[in-house]
Amino acid sequence: MLAKRIIPCLDVKDGKTVKGTNFVNLREAGDPVELGVRYSEQGADELVFLDITASHEERKTFIDLVKRIAANINIPFTIGGGINELSDVDRLLNAGADKISVNSTAIRNPKIIEEIAKNFGSQVCVCAIDASLKDGLWSCYTSGGRNKTDKELFSWAKEVESLGAGEILFTSMDHDGVKTGYANEALRMLSETLNIPIIASGGAGNMQHFRDVFVEGKADAALAASVFHFGEIAIKDLKEYLKKENINVR
């Protein structure tokens, strides 16, 4: 069995790391370069950097910030936000990114997934899906959770896989920042119906939530932000706990 991954996420707005609840009420959490270095040193398996207002503001990701983070860390690094065309992907990979995360653009133009996979390899393409559950239906959203679409989580995830995405980063908007655990039922359904890795996002509040997302949610990786940013959980302690729970971590 592949080792489960622990992935801190840096949501960046105006060059600062921020964290909210259910995608709103953002508060500052520190300098993204300093946080990236800290997590790299603490034993995080990967780092995700999301320029959370780039798509909404219709602008490109901050390339200089990407370069500064990449120069200071030695773990795989995924970047999302404001990626609209292949030239954006090329630019970010050249700036030091290992993978690219697309969300709003992929929903508007699914062919971008195919193009990224064909030109750079499936392993470079992470498709992020932000979804919210209402009346039994998981609806997908774009622009940092602002715009509801007609896409449904499970059918969209299948389409994304068929187009060549290498991984899916699923964020439950209902669980985001609430710290009551991940959306394990939906995650398990994704894991059981797809053949690509699923990164779980939204809901981490304590160490047991990480155990549950791997055991009950069958996720391949767990992404979290505020519990790491505000010092509630140390990555080293988390990995030791998971090993004691017989979960294979790096």
Side-chain angles (χ1 to χ4, degrees):
M1 188 178 75
L2 283 175
K4 304 294 190 182
R5 291 168 287 151
I6 302 296
I7 307 176
C9 180
L10 304 175
D11 290 334
V12 176
K13 182 178 189 283
D14 304 328
K16 292 271 194 297
T17 309
V18 295
K19 186 63 199 122
T21 304
N22 306 128
F23 284 41
V24 294
N25 301 326
L26 302 177
R27 58 178 173 147
E28 273 192 29
D31 177 76
V33 181
E34 286 172 16
L35 285 171
V37 170
R38 188 200 305 167
Y39 296 140
S40 179
E41 288 171 349
Q42 284 178 354
D45 298 303
E46 296 184 22
L47 193 65
V48 168
F49 167 108
L50 300 175
D51 188 337
I52 59 168
T53 55
S55 292
H56 177 62
E57 292 168 5
E58 296 182 357
R59 59 166 174 77
K60 306 296 185 191
T61 308
F62 296 120
I63 210 85
D64 57 327
L65 189 54
V66 172
K67 284 180 178 169
R68 278 167 47 220
I69 294 173
N72 286 286
I73 65 171
N74 57 6
I75 53 175
F77 180 31
T78 301
I79 298 185
I83 297 161
N84 299 307
E85 52 203 10
L86 279 186
S87 60
D88 296 334
V89 178
D90 198 39
R91 220 159 36 94
L92 290 166
L93 293 175
N94 284 327
D98 298 281
K99 304 179 198 178
I100 299 304
S101 170
V102 285
N103 183 347
S104 304
T105 298
I107 284 179
R108 285 194 297 267
N109 171 29
K111 274 188 82 70
I112 188 97
I113 297 170
E114 215 167 33
E115 289 168 3
I116 295 170
K118 194 170 76 185
N119 285 274
F120 304 102
S122 280
Q123 80 286 349
V124 163
C125 186
V126 179
C127 188
I129 302 177
D130 297 335
S132 177
L133 179 64
K134 192 161 190 198
D135 302 327
L137 183 76
W138 281 97
S139 298
C140 301
Y141 284 71
T142 61
S143 302
R146 289 174 183 83
N147 304 323
K148 186 178 177 184
T149 73
D150 60 359
K151 298 277 189 197
E152 183 273 334
L153 170 63
F154 300 104
S155 57
W156 174 231
K158 278 203 172 99
E159 186 180 344
V160 159
E161 180 181 45
S162 70
L163 288 165
E167 284 183 287
I168 286 174
L169 166 54
F170 164 54
T171 302
S172 164
M173 294 168 58
D174 311 313
H175 293 71
D176 174 69
V178 180
K179 299 187 180 179
T180 53
Y182 291 88
N184 291 326
E185 199 178 319
L187 284 159
R188 187 174 65 252
M189 284 174 69
L190 287 170
S191 294
E192 288 173 350
T193 52
L194 303 176
N195 296 308
I196 55 174
I198 307 296
I199 304 167
S201 167
N206 60 46
M207 291 196 201
Q208 191 183 331
H209 293 152
F210 287 89
R211 175 207 167 274
D212 293 348
V213 80
F214 293 135
V215 174
E216 295 167 20
K218 297 191 174 178
D220 299 277
L223 179 142
S226 54
V227 289
F228 298 141
H229 299 340
F230 302 116
E232 293 160 46
I233 296 176
I235 291 167
K236 184 171 167 285
D237 297 344
L238 174 60
K239 287 193 167 186
E240 281 171 10
Y241 162 80
L242 291 170
K243 280 176 185 161
K244 283 181 187 149
E245 293 288 326
N246 297 316
I247 290 161
N248 181 19
V249 289
R250 294 182 185 183

